[in-house]
Amino acid sequence: MGPRLVIFGRQGAGKGTQCAFLVDHYGAVHVSTGDMLREAVAAGTEFGAQARTFMDAGQLLPDEVMVGVVRERLGAPDVADAGFLLDGFPRTLPQAEALCAIVAVDLAINLEVDEAIARERMLARGRGDDTPEAIEERLAAYASQTVPAIAWFESQGNLVTVDGIGTPEEVSTRLVEAIDRRLGE
Ligand code: AMP
């Protein structure tokens, strides 16, 4: 059974790069709710069309919808064997509570990059949903909704915070050190 990890980080924190590294390093399955939603949008499903209106506005989809998506994904056999790195979920306190009723999480990781730097990086990458308004909306949602979910893992003694500033290699090294230290305890 592989590790069951959750990673938090603002968009623009370099989370995508580090997730690719971590799933390779630990052999876990990358479960990214943002990627799953973008796939649904690209596939042109009814669900994708609904998801898109939220995503383009920088708003979160309803908790019950996301909990359903994640419950189904974490129930699949590949995840049961290899473990997972959950990315983009939970985004709210109710999602965090629902997750822990679904599965025991070994460790939550907070990849910390401050708001000003995250804003700068999102503006620089110029993705389709990176309009200045959507960026501000996302940062505000992170502060008001996701920070409480992070605090909840911390209150359970199940969070490690890692500084996300540095070269990708420096940050990867820091992450593995922090994760191995905590998983080895
Ligand atoms: P991400 O790539 O993780 O930043 O996700 C892109 C967009 O998908 C977000 O801005 C939200 O609109 C939506 N989304 C992804 N994960 C969640 C979630 N756990 N809860 C609500 N909305 C989500």
Side-chain angles (χ1 to χ4, degrees), residues 16-141:
T17 306
Q18 297 304 331
C19 282
F21 168 80
L22 290 172
V23 295
D24 185 54
H25 184 85
Y26 290 104
V29 178
H30 186 204
V31 178
S32 158
T33 49
D35 285 353
M36 290 163 79
L37 296 176
R38 282 183 286 274
E39 277 163 26
V41 171
T45 63
E46 170 84 33
F47 173 64
Q50 287 168 1
R52 187 175 179 172
T53 61
F54 288 94
M55 294 165 80
D56 283 349
Q59 287 168 1
L60 298 182
L61 274 75
D63 286 334
E64 55 279 13
V65 172
M66 295 309 302
V67 170
V69 166
V70 168
R71 177 181 283 118
E72 192 174 314
R73 184 67 189 90
L74 295 187
D78 59 336
V79 171
D81 291 341
F84 59 80
L85 177 66
L86 194 47
D87 168 17
F89 184 99
R91 281 279 227 293
T92 67
L93 189 55
Q95 290 182 14
E97 289 170 346
L99 173 63
C100 293
I102 295 170
V103 70
V105 171
D106 295 325
L107 184 65
I109 303 143
N110 181 19
L111 184 61
E112 180 63 27
V113 162
D114 82 27
E115 214 178 84
I117 292 173
R119 179 183 291 113
E120 225 169 77
R121 289 187 183 169
M122 278 191 269
L123 281 168
R125 74 185 177 179
R127 216 169 67 183
D129 60 346
D130 281 343
T131 62
E133 295 75 22
I135 290 172
E136 291 313 317
E137 189 73 39
R138 261 187 244 132
L139 288 171

Side-chain angles (χ1 to χ4, degrees), residues 2-8 15 18-28 84-86 105-111 157-163 170-185:
R4 288 164 299 198
L5 305 170
V6 168
I7 188 160
F8 289 105
K15 194 158 52 80
Q18 297 304 331
C19 282
F21 168 80
L22 290 172
V23 295
D24 185 54
H25 184 85
Y26 290 104
F84 59 80
L85 177 66
L86 194 47
V105 171
D106 295 325
L107 184 65
I109 303 143
N110 181 19
L111 184 61
N158 210 12
L159 183 84
V160 66
T161 294
V162 173
D163 182 3
E170 283 164 355
V171 176
S172 296
T173 302
R174 254 179 240 150
L175 280 166
V176 168
E177 278 172 10
I179 293 167
D180 288 351
R181 195 179 322 124
R182 291 296 298 265
L183 291 183
E185 275 169 10

